[in-house]
Amino acid sequence: MTFFTNPTDQRGLPGRVHLTMPAEIDYCNAAELLPLLMSAVRARGDRLEVLVLDLSTTSFMDSQGVRLINDVRRRLRPGAAVRLVARPEGVTSRVLELTGLRRDVPVYDNLAEALAS
């Protein structure tokens, strides 16, 4: 079973939800992550403006992780956005670059920048 933190409202930043993603995102867990992520999104209703997926502790991600992020983006209400946090030197950041997802989704080096965006 994969665990990540519960959605947290950041004080002073309404409309933002921060979720920390698991250490690995691959074929084994990507399918079970999607309903968990969408449940957190639905809990905010129409108030969600920015969903921050924190990949800074994710040490492995394959194409299923990229698909997961794209699936979440497609399911968000119009006007809501996804922001990613990834270590610049990490594997996850490299996967985002190689797949072209980095061009479509803003990627930040730290959580504070992503939440403030």
Side-chain angles (χ1 to χ4, degrees), residues 14-43:
R16 266 68 171 158
V17 171
H18 163 235
L19 297 172
T20 301
M21 301 304 287
E24 296 184 1
I25 305 172
D26 57 19
Y27 179 78
C28 295
N29 67 355
E32 70 185 45
L33 286 171
L34 183 59
L36 294 173
L37 290 170
M38 296 315 299
S39 176
V41 167
R42 281 190 301 277

Side-chain angles (χ1 to χ4, degrees), residues 9-113:
D9 293 324
Q10 300 300 318
R11 209 172 284 158
L13 295 172
R16 266 68 171 158
V17 171
H18 163 235
L19 297 172
T20 301
M21 301 304 287
E24 296 184 1
I25 305 172
D26 57 19
Y27 179 78
C28 295
N29 67 355
E32 70 185 45
L33 286 171
L34 183 59
L36 294 173
L37 290 170
M38 296 315 299
S39 176
V41 167
R42 281 190 301 277
R44 288 303 302 258
D46 290 339
R47 296 180 313 263
L48 178 69
E49 296 172 16
V50 176
L51 173 63
V52 177
L53 300 179
D54 189 345
L55 300 163
S56 60
T57 59
T58 302
S59 58
F60 178 80
M61 183 173 83
D62 65 9
S63 61
Q64 293 301 313
V66 173
R67 175 178 274 184
L68 173 68
I69 293 167
N70 276 323
D71 286 348
V72 169
R73 288 176 54 213
R74 280 194 294 274
R75 288 182 166 102
L76 289 180
R77 70 167 182 78
V82 173
R83 303 287 186 253
L84 303 175
V85 178
R87 291 186 330 254
E89 71 285 350
V91 171
T92 304
S93 187
R94 184 74 175 139
V95 169
L96 296 171
E97 183 71 35
L98 290 172
T99 60
L101 187 60
R102 193 177 189 103
R103 287 186 310 254
D104 300 331
V105 179
V107 180
Y108 297 87
D109 295 343
N110 65 63
L111 181 60
E113 288 177 358

